[in-house]
Coordinates of all heavy atoms in Angstrom, one line a residue:
L1 N 16.3 -17.6 -19.1 CA 17.3 -17.1 -20.0 C 17.0 -15.7 -20.4 O 17.9 -14.9 -20.6 CB 17.3 -18.0 -21.3 CG 18.3 -17.7 -22.3 CD1 19.7 -17.7 -21.8 CD2 18.2 -18.6 -23.5
G2 N 15.7 -15.4 -20.6 CA 15.3 -14.0 -20.9 C 15.8 -13.0 -19.9 O 16.2 -11.9 -20.2
W3 N 15.6 -13.4 -18.6 CA 16.0 -12.5 -17.5 C 17.5 -12.3 -17.5 O 18.0 -11.3 -17.1 CB 15.4 -12.9 -16.2 CG 15.5 -11.8 -15.2 CD1 16.1 -11.9 -14.0 CD2 14.9 -10.5 -15.2 NE1 16.0 -10.7 -13.3 CE2 15.2 -9.9 -14.0 CE3 14.1 -9.9 -16.2 CZ2 14.8 -8.6 -13.8 CZ3 13.7 -8.6 -15.9 CH2 14.0 -8.0 -14.7
V4 N 18.3 -13.4 -17.9 CA 19.7 -13.3 -17.9 C 20.1 -12.3 -19.0 O 21.0 -11.4 -18.8 CB 20.4 -14.6 -18.2 CG1 21.8 -14.5 -18.5 CG2 20.1 -15.6 -17.0
Y5 N 19.5 -12.4 -20.2 CA 19.7 -11.4 -21.2 C 19.4 -10.0 -20.7 O 20.2 -9.0 -21.0 CB 18.9 -11.7 -22.5 CG 19.4 -12.8 -23.3 CD1 18.5 -13.7 -23.9 CD2 20.8 -12.9 -23.6 CE1 19.0 -14.8 -24.7 CE2 21.2 -14.0 -24.4 CZ 20.3 -14.9 -24.9 OH 20.8 -15.9 -25.7
Y6 N 18.3 -9.8 -20.0 CA 18.0 -8.5 -19.5 C 19.1 -8.0 -18.6 O 19.5 -6.8 -18.7 CB 16.6 -8.6 -18.7 CG 16.2 -7.3 -18.0 CD1 15.3 -6.5 -18.7 CD2 16.6 -7.0 -16.8 CE1 14.9 -5.3 -18.1 CE2 16.2 -5.8 -16.2 CZ 15.4 -5.0 -16.9 OH 15.0 -3.8 -16.3
Q7 N 19.5 -8.8 -17.6 CA 20.5 -8.4 -16.7 C 21.8 -8.1 -17.4 O 22.6 -7.2 -16.9 CB 20.8 -9.6 -15.7 CG 19.5 -10.0 -14.9 CD 19.5 -9.4 -13.5 OE1 20.5 -9.3 -12.9 NE2 18.3 -9.2 -13.0
L8 N 22.1 -8.7 -18.5 CA 23.3 -8.3 -19.3 C 23.1 -7.1 -20.2 O 24.1 -6.7 -20.8 CB 23.7 -9.5 -20.2 CG 24.1 -10.8 -19.4 CD1 24.3 -12.0 -20.3 CD2 25.5 -10.5 -18.7
G9 N 21.9 -6.6 -20.2 CA 21.6 -5.4 -21.0 C 21.3 -5.7 -22.5 O 21.2 -4.8 -23.3
N10 N 21.0 -7.0 -22.8 CA 20.6 -7.4 -24.1 C 19.1 -7.4 -24.2 O 18.5 -8.5 -24.2 CB 21.2 -8.7 -24.4 CG 22.7 -8.7 -24.5 OD1 23.3 -7.7 -24.8 ND2 23.3 -9.9 -24.1
Y11 N 18.5 -6.2 -24.2 CA 17.0 -6.1 -24.0 C 16.2 -6.7 -25.2 O 15.2 -7.3 -25.0 CB 16.6 -4.7 -23.7 CG 17.4 -4.1 -22.5 CD1 18.2 -3.0 -22.6 CD2 17.3 -4.7 -21.3 CE1 18.9 -2.5 -21.5 CE2 17.9 -4.3 -20.2 CZ 18.7 -3.2 -20.3 OH 19.4 -2.7 -19.2
E12 N 16.7 -6.5 -26.4 CA 16.0 -7.1 -27.6 C 16.0 -8.6 -27.5 O 14.9 -9.2 -27.7 CB 16.7 -6.7 -28.9 CG 16.6 -5.2 -29.2 CD 15.2 -4.7 -29.5 OE1 14.4 -5.6 -29.9 OE2 15.0 -3.5 -29.5
Q13 N 17.1 -9.3 -27.1 CA 17.2 -10.7 -27.0 C 16.3 -11.1 -25.8 O 15.6 -12.1 -25.9 CB 18.6 -11.2 -26.8 CG 19.4 -11.2 -28.0 CD 20.8 -11.7 -27.7 OE1 21.6 -11.1 -27.0 NE2 21.2 -12.8 -28.3
A14 N 16.3 -10.4 -24.7 CA 15.5 -10.7 -23.6 C 14.1 -10.7 -23.9 O 13.3 -11.6 -23.6 CB 15.8 -9.7 -22.4
L15 N 13.6 -9.7 -24.6 CA 12.2 -9.6 -25.0 C 11.8 -10.8 -25.9 O 10.7 -11.3 -25.7 CB 12.0 -8.3 -25.7 CG 10.5 -8.0 -26.1 CD1 9.6 -7.9 -24.8 CD2 10.4 -6.7 -26.8
E16 N 12.6 -11.1 -26.8 CA 12.3 -12.3 -27.7 C 12.1 -13.5 -26.9 O 11.1 -14.2 -27.1 CB 13.4 -12.4 -28.7 CG 13.2 -13.5 -29.7 CD 14.3 -13.7 -30.7 OE1 15.0 -12.7 -31.0 OE2 14.6 -14.8 -31.2
V17 N 13.0 -13.8 -26.0 CA 12.9 -15.0 -25.2 C 11.7 -15.0 -24.2 O 11.0 -15.9 -24.0 CB 14.2 -15.3 -24.4 CG1 14.1 -16.4 -23.4 CG2 15.4 -15.5 -25.4
L18 N 11.5 -13.8 -23.6 CA 10.4 -13.7 -22.6 C 9.0 -13.8 -23.3 O 8.1 -14.4 -22.8 CB 10.5 -12.3 -21.9 CG 11.7 -12.2 -20.9 CD1 11.9 -10.8 -20.5 CD2 11.4 -13.1 -19.7
L19 N 8.9 -13.2 -24.5 CA 7.6 -13.4 -25.2 C 7.4 -14.8 -25.6 O 6.2 -15.3 -25.5 CB 7.6 -12.5 -26.5 CG 7.5 -11.0 -26.2 CD1 7.8 -10.2 -27.5 CD2 6.2 -10.6 -25.6
K20 N 8.4 -15.5 -25.9 CA 8.3 -16.9 -26.2 C 7.9 -17.7 -25.0 O 7.0 -18.6 -25.0 CB 9.6 -17.5 -26.8 CG 9.5 -18.9 -27.3 CD 10.8 -19.3 -28.0 CE 10.5 -20.2 -29.2 NZ 11.7 -20.5 -29.9
A21 N 8.5 -17.4 -23.8 CA 8.1 -18.0 -22.6 C 6.6 -17.7 -22.2 O 5.9 -18.6 -21.8 CB 9.0 -17.5 -21.4
D22 N 6.2 -16.5 -22.5 CA 4.8 -16.2 -22.3 C 3.8 -17.0 -23.1 O 2.7 -17.4 -22.7 CB 4.5 -14.7 -22.5 CG 3.1 -14.3 -22.2 OD1 2.5 -14.7 -21.2 OD2 2.5 -13.5 -23.0
S23 N 4.2 -17.3 -24.3 CA 3.4 -18.2 -25.2 C 3.4 -19.6 -24.7 O 2.4 -20.3 -25.0 CB 3.8 -18.1 -26.7 OG 5.1 -18.7 -26.8
I24 N 4.4 -20.0 -24.1 CA 4.5 -21.4 -23.6 C 3.8 -21.6 -22.2 O 3.1 -22.6 -22.0 CB 6.0 -21.9 -23.4 CG1 6.6 -21.9 -24.8 CG2 6.1 -23.2 -22.8 CD1 8.1 -22.0 -24.8
V25 N 4.0 -20.6 -21.3 CA 3.4 -20.6 -20.0 C 2.7 -19.3 -19.8 O 3.2 -18.4 -19.1 CB 4.4 -20.9 -18.9 CG1 4.8 -22.3 -18.8 CG2 5.6 -20.0 -19.0
P26 N 1.5 -19.2 -20.4 CA 0.7 -17.9 -20.3 C 0.3 -17.6 -18.8 O 0.1 -18.5 -18.0 CB -0.5 -18.2 -21.2 CG -0.6 -19.6 -21.3 CD 0.8 -20.2 -21.1
E27 N 0.2 -16.3 -18.6 CA -0.3 -15.8 -17.3 C 0.6 -16.0 -16.1 O 0.2 -15.9 -15.0 CB -1.7 -16.4 -17.0 CG -2.8 -16.0 -18.0 CD -4.2 -16.4 -17.6 OE1 -4.3 -17.4 -16.9 OE2 -5.1 -15.7 -18.0
E28 N 1.9 -16.3 -16.4 CA 2.9 -16.3 -15.3 C 3.2 -14.9 -15.0 O 3.8 -14.2 -15.8 CB 4.1 -17.1 -15.7 CG 4.0 -18.6 -15.7 CD 3.7 -19.2 -14.3 OE1 4.2 -18.6 -13.3 OE2 3.0 -20.2 -14.2
A29 N 2.9 -14.5 -13.8 CA 3.0 -13.1 -13.4 C 4.5 -12.6 -13.5 O 4.7 -11.5 -14.0 CB 2.6 -12.9 -12.0
V30 N 5.4 -13.4 -13.1 CA 6.8 -13.0 -13.2 C 7.3 -12.8 -14.6 O 8.0 -11.9 -14.9 CB 7.8 -14.0 -12.4 CG1 9.2 -13.6 -12.6 CG2 7.4 -14.0 -10.9
V31 N 6.9 -13.7 -15.5 CA 7.2 -13.6 -16.9 C 6.6 -12.3 -17.5 O 7.3 -11.5 -18.2 CB 6.8 -14.8 -17.7 CG1 7.0 -14.6 -19.2 CG2 7.5 -16.0 -17.3
L32 N 5.4 -12.0 -17.2 CA 4.7 -10.8 -17.6 C 5.4 -9.6 -17.1 O 5.6 -8.6 -17.8 CB 3.2 -10.8 -17.3 CG 2.4 -11.9 -17.9 CD1 1.0 -12.1 -17.3 CD2 2.3 -11.7 -19.4
E33 N 5.8 -9.6 -15.8 CA 6.5 -8.5 -15.2 C 7.8 -8.3 -15.9 O 8.2 -7.1 -16.2 CB 6.7 -8.8 -13.7 CG 7.6 -7.8 -13.0 CD 8.0 -8.3 -11.6 OE1 7.9 -9.5 -11.3 OE2 8.5 -7.4 -10.9
H34 N 8.5 -9.3 -16.2 CA 9.8 -9.2 -16.9 C 9.7 -8.6 -18.3 O 10.5 -7.9 -18.7 CB 10.6 -10.5 -16.9 CG 11.1 -10.9 -15.5 ND1 11.7 -12.1 -15.2 CD2 11.1 -10.2 -14.3 CE1 12.0 -12.2 -14.0 NE2 11.7 -11.0 -13.4
I35 N 8.6 -9.0 -19.0 CA 8.3 -8.5 -20.3 C 8.1 -7.0 -20.1 O 8.6 -6.1 -20.9 CB 7.1 -9.1 -20.9 CG1 7.5 -10.6 -21.3 CG2 6.7 -8.4 -22.2 CD1 6.3 -11.4 -21.7
A36 N 7.3 -6.6 -19.1 CA 7.0 -5.2 -18.9 C 8.3 -4.4 -18.6 O 8.5 -3.3 -19.1 CB 6.0 -5.0 -17.7
D37 N 9.1 -5.0 -17.7 CA 10.4 -4.3 -17.4 C 11.3 -4.1 -18.6 O 11.9 -3.1 -18.8 CB 11.2 -5.2 -16.4 CG 10.6 -5.3 -15.0 OD1 9.7 -4.5 -14.6 OD2 10.9 -6.3 -14.3
T38 N 11.3 -5.1 -19.5 CA 12.1 -5.1 -20.7 C 11.5 -4.0 -21.7 O 12.3 -3.2 -22.2 CB 12.1 -6.4 -21.4 OG1 12.6 -7.4 -20.4 CG2 13.1 -6.4 -22.6
Y39 N 10.2 -4.0 -21.9 CA 9.7 -2.9 -22.7 C 10.0 -1.5 -22.1 O 10.3 -0.6 -22.9 CB 8.1 -3.1 -22.8 CG 7.7 -4.0 -23.9 CD1 6.8 -5.0 -23.7 CD2 8.1 -3.8 -25.2 CE1 6.4 -5.9 -24.7 CE2 7.6 -4.6 -26.3 CZ 6.8 -5.7 -26.0 OH 6.4 -6.5 -27.0
K40 N 9.9 -1.4 -20.8 CA 10.3 -0.1 -20.2 C 11.7 0.3 -20.5 O 12.0 1.4 -20.9 CB 10.0 -0.2 -18.7 CG 10.2 1.1 -18.0 CD 9.8 1.0 -16.5 CE 10.1 2.3 -15.8 NZ 10.1 2.1 -14.4
R41 N 12.6 -0.7 -20.4 CA 14.0 -0.4 -20.7 C 14.2 0.0 -22.2 O 15.1 0.8 -22.5 CB 14.9 -1.6 -20.4 CG 15.2 -1.8 -19.0 CD 16.2 -0.8 -18.5 NE 16.5 -1.0 -17.1 CZ 17.6 -0.6 -16.5 NH1 18.4 0.3 -17.2 NH2 17.8 -0.8 -15.3
L42 N 13.4 -0.5 -23.0 CA 13.5 -0.3 -24.5 C 12.7 1.1 -24.8 O 12.7 1.4 -26.0 CB 12.9 -1.4 -25.3 CG 13.7 -2.7 -25.3 CD1 12.9 -3.9 -25.9 CD2 15.0 -2.5 -26.1
G43 N 12.2 1.7 -23.8 CA 11.5 3.0 -24.0 C 10.1 2.9 -24.6 O 9.5 3.8 -25.1
Q44 N 9.5 1.7 -24.5 CA 8.2 1.4 -25.0 C 7.2 1.4 -23.8 O 6.8 0.3 -23.4 CB 8.1 0.1 -25.8 CG 9.0 0.2 -27.0 CD 9.0 -1.1 -27.8 OE1 8.0 -1.8 -27.9 NE2 10.1 -1.5 -28.4
E45 N 6.9 2.6 -23.2 CA 6.2 2.7 -22.0 C 4.8 2.1 -22.1 O 4.2 1.5 -21.2 CB 6.2 4.1 -21.5 CG 7.5 4.6 -20.9 CD 8.4 5.1 -21.9 OE1 8.0 5.2 -23.1 OE2 9.6 5.4 -21.6
Q46 N 4.1 2.3 -23.2 CA 2.7 1.8 -23.4 C 2.7 0.3 -23.4 O 1.8 -0.3 -22.7 CB 2.1 2.4 -24.6 CG 1.8 3.9 -24.6 CD 0.8 4.3 -23.4 OE1 -0.1 3.5 -23.1 NE2 1.1 5.4 -22.8
A47 N 3.6 -0.3 -24.0 CA 3.7 -1.8 -24.0 C 4.0 -2.3 -22.6 O 3.4 -3.3 -22.1 CB 4.7 -2.3 -25.0
S48 N 4.9 -1.6 -21.9 CA 5.2 -1.9 -20.6 C 4.0 -1.8 -19.7 O 3.7 -2.7 -18.9 CB 6.3 -0.9 -20.1 OG 6.7 -1.2 -18.7
L49 N 3.3 -0.7 -19.8 CA 2.0 -0.6 -19.0 C 1.1 -1.7 -19.2 O 0.5 -2.3 -18.3 CB 1.4 0.8 -19.4 CG 0.2 1.2 -18.7 CD1 0.5 1.6 -17.2 CD2 -0.5 2.4 -19.4
E50 N 0.9 -2.1 -20.5 CA 0.0 -3.2 -20.8 C 0.4 -4.5 -20.1 O -0.4 -5.2 -19.6 CB 0.0 -3.4 -22.3 CG -0.8 -4.6 -22.8 CD -0.7 -4.8 -24.3 OE1 -0.4 -3.9 -25.1 OE2 -0.8 -6.0 -24.7
Y51 N 1.7 -4.8 -20.1 CA 2.2 -6.0 -19.5 C 2.2 -6.0 -18.0 O 1.9 -7.0 -17.3 CB 3.5 -6.5 -20.1 CG 3.3 -7.2 -21.3 CD1 3.3 -6.6 -22.6 CD2 3.2 -8.6 -21.3 CE1 3.1 -7.3 -23.7 CE2 3.0 -9.4 -22.4 CZ 2.9 -8.7 -23.7 OH 2.7 -9.5 -24.8
Y52 N 2.4 -4.8 -17.4 CA 2.2 -4.7 -15.9 C 0.8 -5.0 -15.6 O 0.5 -5.7 -14.6 CB 2.7 -3.4 -15.4 CG 4.2 -3.2 -15.3 CD1 4.8 -2.0 -15.7 CD2 5.0 -4.1 -14.8 CE1 6.1 -1.8 -15.6 CE2 6.4 -4.0 -14.7 CZ 6.9 -2.8 -15.1 OH 8.3 -2.6 -15.0
K53 N -0.1 -4.5 -16.3 CA -1.6 -4.7 -16.1 C -1.9 -6.2 -16.2 O -2.7 -6.7 -15.4 CB -2.4 -3.9 -17.0 CG -2.4 -2.4 -16.7 CD -3.3 -1.6 -17.6 CE -3.3 -0.1 -17.3 NZ -4.1 0.7 -18.2
K54 N -1.4 -6.8 -17.2 CA -1.6 -8.3 -17.4 C -1.0 -9.0 -16.2 O -1.6 -10.0 -15.7 CB -0.9 -8.8 -18.7 CG -1.6 -8.4 -19.9 CD -0.9 -9.0 -21.2 CE -1.6 -8.6 -22.4 NZ -0.9 -9.2 -23.6
A55 N 0.1 -8.6 -15.7 CA 0.8 -9.3 -14.6 C -0.1 -9.2 -13.3 O -0.3 -10.1 -12.6 CB 2.2 -8.8 -14.4
V56 N -0.6 -8.0 -13.1 CA -1.4 -7.7 -11.9 C -2.7 -8.6 -12.0 O -3.2 -9.0 -11.0 CB -1.7 -6.2 -11.8 CG1 -2.8 -6.0 -10.7 CG2 -0.4 -5.5 -11.4
A57 N -3.2 -8.7 -13.2 CA -4.5 -9.5 -13.4 C -4.2 -11.0 -13.4 O -5.2 -11.8 -13.4 CB -5.1 -9.0 -14.7
S58 N -3.0 -11.4 -13.4 CA -2.7 -12.9 -13.5 C -3.3 -13.6 -12.3 O -3.0 -13.3 -11.2 CB -1.2 -13.1 -13.6 OG -0.9 -14.5 -13.5
P59 N -4.0 -14.7 -12.6 CA -4.5 -15.5 -11.5 C -3.4 -16.3 -10.8 O -3.6 -16.9 -9.8 CB -5.5 -16.5 -12.2 CG -5.1 -16.5 -13.6 CD -4.5 -15.2 -13.9
K60 N -2.2 -16.4 -11.5 CA -1.1 -17.1 -10.9 C -0.2 -16.3 -10.0 O 0.8 -16.8 -9.4 CB -0.3 -17.7 -12.0 CG -1.0 -18.7 -12.9 CD -0.1 -19.2 -14.0 CE -0.9 -20.2 -14.9 NZ -0.1 -20.7 -16.0
A61 N -0.5 -15.0 -9.9 CA 0.4 -14.1 -9.1 C 0.2 -14.4 -7.6 O -0.9 -14.5 -7.1 CB 0.1 -12.7 -9.4
T62 N 1.3 -14.4 -6.9 CA 1.3 -14.5 -5.5 C 1.0 -13.1 -4.9 O 1.2 -12.1 -5.6 CB 2.6 -15.0 -4.9 OG1 3.7 -14.0 -5.2 CG2 3.0 -16.3 -5.5
K63 N 0.7 -13.0 -3.6 CA 0.5 -11.7 -3.0 C 1.7 -10.8 -3.1 O 1.7 -9.6 -3.3 CB 0.1 -11.8 -1.5 CG -1.3 -12.4 -1.4 CD -1.8 -12.5 0.1 CE -3.2 -13.1 0.2 NZ -3.6 -13.2 1.5
E64 N 2.9 -11.4 -2.8 CA 4.2 -10.7 -2.9 C 4.4 -10.1 -4.3 O 4.8 -9.0 -4.5 CB 5.3 -11.6 -2.5 CG 6.7 -10.9 -2.5 CD 7.8 -11.9 -2.1 OE1 7.8 -12.3 -0.9 OE2 8.5 -12.3 -3.0
E65 N 4.2 -11.0 -5.3 CA 4.3 -10.5 -6.7 C 3.4 -9.4 -7.0 O 3.7 -8.4 -7.6 CB 4.1 -11.7 -7.7 CG 5.2 -12.7 -7.6 CD 4.9 -14.0 -8.3 OE1 3.7 -14.3 -8.6 OE2 5.8 -14.8 -8.5
L66 N 2.1 -9.5 -6.6 CA 1.1 -8.5 -6.8 C 1.5 -7.1 -6.3 O 1.4 -6.1 -6.9 CB -0.2 -8.9 -6.2 CG -1.0 -9.9 -7.0 CD1 -2.3 -10.3 -6.3 CD2 -1.4 -9.4 -8.4
V67 N 2.0 -7.1 -5.0 CA 2.5 -5.9 -4.4 C 3.6 -5.3 -5.2 O 3.6 -4.1 -5.5 CB 2.9 -6.1 -2.9 CG1 3.6 -4.9 -2.3 CG2 1.7 -6.5 -2.1
R68 N 4.6 -6.1 -5.5 CA 5.8 -5.6 -6.3 C 5.4 -5.0 -7.6 O 5.8 -3.9 -8.0 CB 6.8 -6.7 -6.4 CG 8.1 -6.3 -7.1 CD 9.1 -7.4 -7.3 NE 8.6 -8.4 -8.2 CZ 8.3 -9.7 -7.9 NH1 8.6 -10.1 -6.7 NH2 7.9 -10.5 -8.8
I69 N 4.6 -5.8 -8.4 CA 4.2 -5.4 -9.7 C 3.3 -4.2 -9.7 O 3.4 -3.3 -10.5 CB 3.5 -6.6 -10.5 CG1 4.5 -7.7 -10.6 CG2 3.0 -6.1 -11.8 CD1 3.9 -9.0 -11.0
Q70 N 2.3 -4.1 -8.7 CA 1.4 -3.0 -8.6 C 2.2 -1.7 -8.3 O 1.9 -0.7 -8.9 CB 0.4 -3.2 -7.5 CG -0.6 -2.1 -7.4 CD -1.5 -2.1 -8.6 OE1 -2.1 -3.0 -9.0 NE2 -1.6 -0.9 -9.2
N71 N 3.3 -1.8 -7.5 CA 4.1 -0.6 -7.3 C 4.8 -0.2 -8.6 O 4.9 1.1 -8.8 CB 5.2 -1.0 -6.2 CG 4.6 -1.0 -4.8 OD1 3.6 -0.4 -4.5 ND2 5.3 -1.8 -3.9
K72 N 5.3 -1.1 -9.4 CA 5.9 -0.7 -10.7 C 4.8 -0.1 -11.6 O 5.1 0.9 -12.3 CB 6.5 -1.9 -11.3 CG 7.7 -2.4 -10.7 CD 8.3 -3.7 -11.4 CE 9.5 -4.2 -10.8 NZ 10.1 -5.3 -11.5
L73 N 3.6 -0.6 -11.6 CA 2.6 -0.1 -12.4 C 2.2 1.3 -12.0 O 2.1 2.2 -12.8 CB 1.3 -1.1 -12.3 CG 0.1 -0.6 -13.0 CD1 0.3 -0.4 -14.5 CD2 -1.0 -1.6 -12.8
D74 N 2.0 1.5 -10.7 CA 1.7 2.8 -10.2 C 2.7 3.9 -10.5 O 2.4 5.0 -11.0 CB 1.5 2.8 -8.6 CG 0.3 2.0 -8.2 OD1 -0.6 1.7 -9.0 OD2 0.2 1.6 -7.0
K75 N 4.0 3.5 -10.4 CA 5.1 4.4 -10.7 C 5.1 4.8 -12.2 O 5.2 6.0 -12.5 CB 6.4 3.7 -10.3 CG 7.6 4.6 -10.5 CD 8.9 4.0 -10.0 CE 10.1 4.8 -10.2 NZ 11.3 4.2 -9.7
L76 N 4.9 3.8 -13.0 CA 4.9 4.1 -14.5 C 3.7 4.9 -14.8 O 3.8 5.9 -15.7 CB 4.9 2.7 -15.3 CG 4.8 2.9 -16.8 CD1 6.0 3.7 -17.3 CD2 4.8 1.5 -17.4
Q77 N 2.5 4.7 -14.3 CA 1.4 5.5 -14.6 C 1.6 6.9 -14.2 O 1.2 7.8 -14.9 CB 0.1 4.9 -13.9 CG -0.4 3.6 -14.5 CD -1.5 3.0 -13.8 OE1 -1.6 3.0 -12.6 NE2 -2.5 2.4 -14.6
K78 N 2.3 7.2 -13.0 CA 2.5 8.5 -12.6 C 3.5 9.2 -13.6 O 3.3 10.4 -13.9 CB 3.2 8.5 -11.2 CG 2.2 8.2 -10.1 CD 2.9 8.2 -8.8 CE 1.9 7.8 -7.7 NZ 2.5 7.7 -6.4
V79 N 4.5 8.5 -14.1 CA 5.4 9.1 -15.0 C 4.7 9.4 -16.3 O 4.9 10.5 -16.9 CB 6.6 8.1 -15.3 CG1 7.4 8.5 -16.5 CG2 7.5 7.9 -14.1
L80 N 3.9 8.5 -16.8 CA 3.1 8.7 -18.0 C 2.2 9.9 -17.9 O 2.0 10.7 -18.8 CB 2.4 7.5 -18.5 CG 3.3 6.3 -18.9 CD1 2.5 5.1 -19.2 CD2 4.1 6.7 -20.1
A81 N 1.5 10.0 -16.7 CA 0.6 11.1 -16.5 C 1.3 12.5 -16.5 O 0.9 13.5 -17.1 CB -0.1 11.0 -15.2
K82 N 2.6 12.5 -15.9 CA 3.4 13.7 -15.9 C 3.8 14.1 -17.4 O 3.7 15.2 -17.8 CB 4.6 13.6 -15.1 CG 4.4 13.6 -13.6 CD 5.6 13.5 -12.8 CE 5.4 13.5 -11.3 NZ 6.7 13.3 -10.6
D83 N 4.1 13.1 -18.1 CA 4.5 13.3 -19.5 C 3.4 13.9 -20.3 O 3.5 14.8 -21.2 CB 5.0 12.0 -20.2 CG 6.4 11.6 -19.7 OD1 7.1 12.4 -19.0 OD2 6.8 10.4 -19.9
E84 N 2.2 13.3 -20.1 CA 1.0 13.8 -20.8 C 0.7 15.2 -20.4 O 0.3 16.0 -21.3 CB -0.2 12.9 -20.5 CG -0.2 11.5 -21.2 CD -1.4 10.6 -20.9 OE1 -2.4 11.2 -20.4 OE2 -1.2 9.4 -21.1
A85 N 0.8 15.5 -19.1 CA 0.6 16.9 -18.7 C 1.5 17.9 -19.3 O 1.2 19.0 -19.7 CB 0.7 16.9 -17.2
K86 N 2.8 17.5 -19.4 CA 3.8 18.3 -20.1 C 3.5 18.6 -21.5 O 3.7 19.7 -22.0 CB 5.2 17.7 -20.0 CG 5.8 17.8 -18.6 CD 7.2 17.2 -18.6 CE 7.8 17.1 -17.2 NZ 9.1 16.4 -17.2
Q87 N 3.0 17.5 -22.2 CA 2.7 17.7 -23.6 C 1.5 18.5 -23.9 O 1.4 19.2 -24.9 CB 2.5 16.3 -24.3 CG 3.7 15.5 -24.4 CD 3.5 14.1 -24.9 OE1 2.4 13.7 -25.3 NE2 4.5 13.3 -25.0
G88 N 0.5 18.5 -22.9 CA -0.7 19.3 -23.0 C -0.5 20.8 -22.6 O -1.3 21.6 -22.9
A89 N 0.6 21.1 -22.0 CA 0.9 22.4 -21.5 C 1.4 23.3 -22.6 O 1.8 23.0 -23.6 CB 1.9 22.4 -20.4

């Protein structure tokens, strides 16, 4: 349901449902990834980064999920590094 809200652009509702799902089934890589995606859409990059890291560290993640999530994590880290460099200039 959380991902449906996300797809509809209802990010606040999506986040609420996804966080609840995480409390019910902790360490589910896809749930953690979706939370990260939602935080990113809401402009909360640091929270997004935290959840991508949790997803990558999840013992329940498949190899396919790890590759996909790691790519998102790497991309976000690059964006954040560029932002930090701009602020320091």
Side-chain angles (χ1 to χ4, degrees):
L1 182 60
W3 196 239
V4 172
Y5 282 136
Y6 178 93
Q7 302 255 330
L8 293 171
N10 297 329
Y11 304 120
E12 294 288 345
Q13 286 180 297
L15 185 59
E16 183 180 328
V17 173
L18 290 165
L19 289 170
K20 189 174 216 175
D22 182 44
S23 71
I24 295 168
V25 283
E27 297 186 331
E28 282 294 329
V30 172
V31 172
L32 296 168
E33 175 189 14
H34 289 174
I35 292 170
D37 292 340
T38 305
Y39 273 126
K40 188 175 175 195
R41 284 287 185 163
L42 290 168
Q44 297 181 35
E45 287 86 4
Q46 290 301 323
S48 178
L49 185 69
E50 176 187 333
Y51 274 90
Y52 282 137
K53 287 180 180 180
K54 287 181 181 183
V56 168
S58 171
K60 298 179 182 180
T62 65
K63 287 181 182 180
E64 181 181 289
E65 291 167 344
L66 284 174
V67 169
R68 182 183 66 242
I69 298 164
Q70 186 65 54
N71 286 336
K72 290 180 179 183
L73 176 58
D74 292 344
K75 185 176 178 181
L76 180 57
Q77 286 176 322
K78 286 179 186 176
V79 168
L80 292 175
K82 284 182 184 178
D83 288 348
E84 286 180 18
K86 286 180 185 177
Q87 290 177 2

